[in-house]
Amino acid sequence: MGAYLIYLQLELKKAVKVLPRFIAGAIVLVGILGTIAFSASKVLYGDTVINRITIGVVLPEEDTVARFVVGMLSSLESVKSVCDFEYTDEETGRELMEEGSYHGLLLVPAGFVDDIISGVNTPITIVLPDNPGMEAMIFKELADSGARTLSVAQASIYAADELVIAYQMPEDIKKVEDDLNQIYFTYALPRSDYFINQKVSATGDVTVMEFYGISAAILFLLFCGIPLAGLCERDKPVLVQKLGSIGINRGLQVGAKILSVAFLLLLVSCLGITGLVYGGILEFHGIFIAILLLVCLVTASMIVAVYAVTGSPIAGVMSLFWLTVGMLFLSGGLVPSVFLPEAIGQIKSWIPTTPLMEVMKSFVGIKVSMTFVIQSLVWGLICYAAAVFSRRRL
Amino acid sequence: MRMMVWFLLSCKRQLKHVFFVILLILMPLALLSFQQVEKQDSGKILIGVFSEDKEMVPEIIDSLLIQDGMFEFYVSESEEKLKEDVITRHAECGFVFADNFKQKLDDRKFKRSIIAYNAPSSIMHSLSKEVVFASVIEVYGQDILKQFIEESELFEGEDKDRLYQELQNNYRNQTRNGTTFSFRYETLSTRPIEESVARIAFPVRGMLAIYLFVIGIFSAVTLRKDEQKGLFIALPFGTGFPCKLAVLAAPVFLAGISAWVTLIATGNHGGLMKELIYLFLYMIMILVFSYVLKVIVRDPVLLCGLIPVFILASFVICPVFFDFGQWVPGLKPFRYLLLPYYYMSMGG
């Protein structure tokens, strides 16, 4: 026991040696994560987490009426909350679309407004990228919905105009159109009033911002494993043997490594939590300490296992990078899971970051489920076993 | 010649690590598999609807069911089931129409007549309301004509039922003859848009750019450790720098080949040779950047500690998943300090 404690002390000393440089990098990381959290707090379209959609508009030359109409369109609440319209020419617009600066291009035909009035209605062409991304699809959905609403009003006005002409009252066309417009505005303008929002949630459901905050924290902890490549790399075979001969078997050796990594992760996590509590973003509860310990131990176990199994620092760094990105992507931690293939949702429950993220919801007031605590511990043990087994290969 | 020997020996040193080789092979396979899963998915977001109203709402629901946008509407068997679907995230959100919905519209007391169930993590419910509203107005549009006939002074004394009948016929003709406003969609290469899908594809190019960047910096860490061990002491004067570059280049080159194969396999490229040239230029940039960083930050531990900083900064500032620069404009100038931005700009 005495020998093991001395060995543990030496491992912790190694960790403390890298601490100043590790903390320096971690502080910068926390700063970047704070930026992500601040950005995620900006509501763009309801609670939608999407980029603003820049749309290029190509108007016929000197058509001030068309410019006015497009200006009105861009001022609609549902449009302006998501889209920015920029006026340009077609050639420049297509170039900017190829560069990715524009998500779409609106080509307004010459005589557009006159055509609406006369009933010709030359369609507006919307050019989307060859591989339209989410923003382009959302803009298309908005445009289609707007077009459907507008065409109902148009069809009604044209129908009424036809009727009035048939009844030999062409001088009343303007009045008919005004009356119909008035009725349509009554129904169409306050369309958000039709709906009453009811939030329904399962126990453990969190807001988008809270979810991304938790996801960022897991990302941070796992990426902290990259600077620890030197600390986690395999010990020389002769050292492993010598330690074994004085009673510190491979299991205890791996345990000491996990504890030293967990110690570092715990320190930087405490810094982060202190900052969040002091900044009024989180409210401190005693359970934070237990959860933090659990999360840091399990994450440390995962990090040590990656380096142990891969056998070299560079392979460990590569694996940690892809595993972290892959696991968080599959858990919906990088992109909202509504945008992921349905099949991916079924894999979610088999990923180690999923129970960790559930456990961390306790930081935002959600009661900790023992199921997820046990799942996290199981993953920690699996990673511990993998690291010990890899050591046996030496 | 010496530089080439060092380069080959460094490649051999990396290839001796079995897991390094496994990862180089696995990366294109894993991303290709994921892409196949993405392709098989319908790409639609499920939205539930329910109502016990028998008068007009079934027509609205029929209109929603045939929509061909990014949403796929379905009829839930009950309001409770709909709520459960939203809670379990089977459905992104759900809409329940009031029983006397048409009456409410006729009386213009339509406020809060559609319940919109959504979860705290729902993000598309606001956009789906626009689609629902469009269907409501499409179906109710004809009834608005009735109101117009009733209220207009122009038709006093006329047979209002006959007028409404004529107006309805005119309206149906107008909606069918294509004279009303519409948008026409096409892609940059003038192909028609095939279908609307709501999927964010895994950003293969962006992730590979960051991955190579990380390998480059870590390679600089390894190089610095080799320098500290005295690996280059015995080299003749003037050959140290090229040999160090060779050591630095080996893992980046090997990872670059794997990245190129990944881009080809997943179709994320603008041409085989073009992509090869872009990658080659990017790897040169990585080598220069990593070497200069190594010279400035001489401590390998601190250098290694900067890797997560560069990773997260690249995620945040060179838009890989989201462009955070649009919410924090002050971040945008920093993208010029991050190499992944240049590689992503190369591909367009």
Side-chain angles (χ1 to χ4, degrees):
Chain A
M1 186 63 179
Y4 182 65
L5 285 174
I6 292 171
Y7 174 67
L8 182 59
Q9 195 183 5
L10 289 170
E11 285 290 330
L12 286 171
K13 236 172 134 178
K14 271 197 317 193
V16 167
K17 270 184 80 177
V18 305
L19 186 60
R21 290 155 290 185
F22 180 71
I23 289 275
I27 287 172
V28 180
L29 265 179
V30 168
I32 294 173
L33 285 169
T35 309
I36 295 172
F38 170 73
S39 311
S41 71
K42 301 273 182 182
V43 172
L44 293 185
Y45 185 72
D47 290 326
T48 307
V49 181
I50 53 168
N51 298 316
R52 281 197 74 77
I53 299 169
T54 309
I55 304 293
V57 180
V58 178
L59 289 172
E61 277 185 32
E62 314 216 348
D63 193 335
T64 50
V65 180
R67 182 178 272 260
F68 172 72
V69 169
V70 173
M72 267 184 60
L73 189 68
S74 63
S75 67
L76 290 174
E77 190 54 46
S78 55
V79 174
K80 82 175 175 207
S81 62
V82 191
C83 303
D84 293 320
F85 282 27
E86 284 184 12
Y87 296 99
T88 183
D89 60 273
E90 189 171 342
E91 199 184 321
T92 311
R94 284 183 184 272
E95 278 171 16
L96 288 172
M97 267 195 72
E98 281 178 9
E99 279 174 27
S101 301
Y102 285 166
H103 296 102
L105 194 62
L106 225 60
L107 302 177
V108 181
F112 161 65
V113 177
D114 291 334
D115 283 354
I116 289 180
I117 293 168
S118 66
V120 170
N121 280 306
T122 314
I124 290 181
T125 302
I126 295 181
V127 183
L128 297 176
D130 282 331
N131 293 307
M134 182 51 51
E135 293 87 357
M137 286 296 112
I138 287 171
F139 177 68
K140 183 176 178 293
E141 204 65 45
L142 263 179
D144 281 343
S145 301
R148 286 166 63 201
T149 305
L150 185 57
S151 63
V152 164
Q154 250 190 327
S156 303
I157 288 173
Y158 292 157
D161 287 349
E162 260 188 60
L163 186 74
V164 161
I165 291 169
Y167 276 72
Q168 317 286 331
M169 300 190 290
E171 68 282 1
D172 292 320
I173 286 179
K174 176 112 183 30
K175 172 126 179 50
V176 158
E177 288 176 358
D178 286 348
D179 288 348
L180 265 171
N181 272 329
Q182 192 57 44
I183 300 176
Y184 274 102
F185 279 144
T186 309
Y187 284 98
L189 279 181
R191 60 187 186 280
S192 55
D193 292 347
Y194 283 73
F195 301 94
I196 169 172
N197 285 323
Q198 291 267 30
K199 276 253 190 293
V200 288
S201 63
T203 312
D205 212 353
V206 292
T207 63
V208 172
M209 187 180 155
E210 287 167 345
F211 183 77
Y212 277 103
I214 291 168
S215 168
I218 298 285
L219 193 78
F220 164 72
L221 286 175
L222 285 168
F223 276 155
C224 277
I226 292 180
L228 300 177
L231 198 66
C232 297
E233 70 178 315
R234 274 187 187 167
D235 293 320
K236 292 185 173 41
V238 66
L239 176 64
V240 174
Q241 271 178 346
K242 287 293 180 197
L243 287 170
S245 66
I246 59 168
I248 303 171
N249 60 35
R250 289 174 178 87
L252 292 173
Q253 291 169 34
V254 167
K257 271 225 191 302
I258 289 173
L259 284 172
S260 62
V261 171
F263 166 69
L264 285 174
L265 295 181
L266 198 60
L267 274 176
V268 293
S269 302
C270 286
L271 268 176
I273 296 283
T274 307
L276 289 171
V277 170
Y278 188 73
I281 297 169
L282 284 183
E283 213 178 291
F284 182 79
H285 297 288
I287 199 165
F288 279 20
I289 299 167
I291 297 297
L292 216 49
L293 266 171
L294 171 68
V295 171
C296 289
L297 272 170
V298 174
T299 310
S301 186
M302 285 162 58
I303 292 169
V304 168
V306 166
Y307 284 109
V309 168
T310 54
S312 76
I314 193 164
V317 167
M318 282 162 69
S319 303
L320 203 52
F321 175 78
W322 282 115
L323 282 172
T324 303
V325 168
M327 285 193 298
L328 278 168
F329 184 79
L330 293 173
S331 312
L334 294 176
V335 163
S337 50
V338 69
F339 296 132
L340 297 178
E342 215 172 314
I344 298 297
Q346 289 153 16
I347 303 174
K348 224 166 106 165
S349 46
W350 296 95
I351 299 168
T353 45
T354 303
L356 278 180
M357 287 168 76
E358 292 294 330
V359 158
M360 284 186 74
K361 285 179 181 176
S362 60
F363 287 122
V364 292
I366 306 290
K367 195 163 174 282
V368 178
S369 161
M370 279 315 290
T371 311
F372 294 120
V373 171
I374 292 168
Q375 281 180 6
S376 303
L377 285 170
V378 166
W379 275 111
L381 283 170
I382 290 172
C383 293
Y384 169 76
V388 171
F389 184 75
S390 302
R391 239 164 151 82
R392 289 179 69 84
R393 289 190 283 116
L394 296 175
Chain B
M1 186 61 194
R2 193 189 294 270
M3 187 177 175
M4 184 52 67
V5 170
W6 272 77
F7 176 73
L8 290 170
L9 287 173
S10 300
C11 286
K12 197 177 160 189
R13 181 167 86 162
Q14 298 302 331
L15 292 170
K16 274 173 72 175
H17 297 299
V18 173
F19 257 93
F20 181 78
V21 178
I22 290 173
L23 284 165
L24 291 181
I25 296 168
L26 262 182
M27 194 171 65
L29 290 174
L31 289 175
L32 184 62
S33 307
F34 181 73
Q35 205 180 45
Q36 295 309 312
V37 171
E38 270 184 336
K39 278 186 185 158
Q40 280 165 19
D41 188 63
S42 69
K44 305 284 186 184
I45 297 174
L46 275 179
I47 312 265
V49 288
F50 175 76
S51 180
E52 286 177 342
D53 183 277
K54 299 281 182 253
E55 202 179 342
M56 188 180 75
V57 176
E59 224 181 309
I60 297 174
I61 291 178
D62 285 342
S63 166
L64 289 170
L65 291 178
I66 61 170
Q67 289 309 310
D68 191 27
M70 49 197 274
F71 300 119
E72 185 179 319
F73 290 87
Y74 72 96
V75 181
S76 178
E77 55 197 54
S78 68
E79 186 170 345
E80 281 312 306
K81 181 72 175 64
L82 181 61
K83 273 162 72 172
E84 199 189 305
D85 285 347
V86 174
I87 289 171
T88 58
R89 311 307 286 120
H90 173 70
E92 170 67 0
C93 58
F95 296 95
V96 176
F97 294 85
D99 287 346
N100 49 353
F101 186 63
K102 185 176 181 309
Q103 191 58 51
K104 288 183 181 232
L105 286 173
D106 289 341
D107 297 339
R108 299 191 189 179
K109 290 178 180 169
F110 45 73
K111 271 191 180 181
R112 298 156 78 90
S113 55
I114 306 174
I115 303 175
Y117 287 112
N118 57 88
S121 50
S122 295
I123 59 171
M124 298 303 274
H125 57 282
S126 297
L127 182 59
S128 61
K129 283 178 190 170
E130 300 288 337
V131 179
V132 169
F133 176 77
S135 285
V136 167
I137 213 73
E138 259 181 353
V139 170
Y140 190 65
Q142 292 185 69
D143 292 79
I144 289 177
L145 291 173
K146 207 173 198 177
Q147 279 185 37
F148 163 67
I149 295 288
E150 298 288 335
E151 290 170 15
S152 180
E153 308 150 354
L154 295 171
F155 305 107
E156 271 175 30
E158 299 284 347
D159 180 354
K160 300 225 167 142
D161 286 336
R162 187 173 52 82
L163 279 172
Y164 177 56
Q165 201 61 45
E166 281 184 51
L167 205 48
Q168 251 194 333
N169 289 337
N170 292 347
Y171 175 83
R172 283 193 201 114
N173 289 339
Q174 291 294 342
T175 53
R176 283 173 200 157
N177 64 11
T179 56
T180 53
F181 179 79
S182 63
F183 288 112
R184 191 177 69 89
Y185 297 96
E186 63 182 39
T187 62
L188 262 178
S189 48
T190 65
R191 281 181 286 118
I193 302 286
E194 281 171 8
E195 57 169 351
S196 298
V197 291
R199 287 291 170 256
I200 291 181
F202 189 80
V204 175
R205 263 185 131 258
M207 289 309 306
L208 287 174
I210 297 175
Y211 164 66
L212 288 174
F213 191 36
V214 168
I215 297 294
I217 301 174
F218 194 78
S219 194
V221 172
T222 314
L223 175 63
R224 185 71 194 119
K225 284 185 179 172
D226 287 341
E227 283 177 348
Q228 286 177 335
K229 284 184 212 164
L231 187 66
F232 304 98
I233 286 176
L235 284 171
F237 180 77
T239 58
F241 175 69
C243 291
K244 286 178 188 177
L245 265 189
V247 169
L248 188 64
V252 178
F253 169 75
L254 292 169
I257 294 177
S258 177
W260 183 66
V261 170
T262 305
L263 288 168
I264 303 305
T266 55
N268 283 281
H269 62 95
L272 295 183
M273 286 315 296
K274 217 173 169 183
E275 203 58 52
L276 197 58
I277 292 167
Y278 289 153
L279 266 174
F280 181 73
L281 288 171
Y282 184 54
M283 286 194 284
I284 302 285
M285 290 168 72
I286 289 174
L287 291 180
V288 170
F289 182 90
S290 303
Y291 194 88
V292 168
L293 196 64
K294 177 203 71 96
V295 168
I296 298 169
V297 182
R298 301 184 63 75
D299 181 355
V301 177
L302 185 57
L303 193 55
C304 206
L306 289 176
I307 292 176
V309 176
F310 280 116
I311 293 175
L312 271 180
S314 301
F315 268 125
V316 170
I317 305 168
C318 316
V320 178
F321 290 100
F322 297 109
D323 184 2
F324 291 94
Q326 66 180 293
W327 298 317
V328 187
L331 285 179
K332 277 195 172 172
F334 288 99
R335 59 175 56 162
Y336 301 108
L337 299 174
L338 298 166
L339 298 185
Y341 170 72
Y342 295 103
Y343 180 65
M344 288 165 71
S345 304
M346 281 185 213

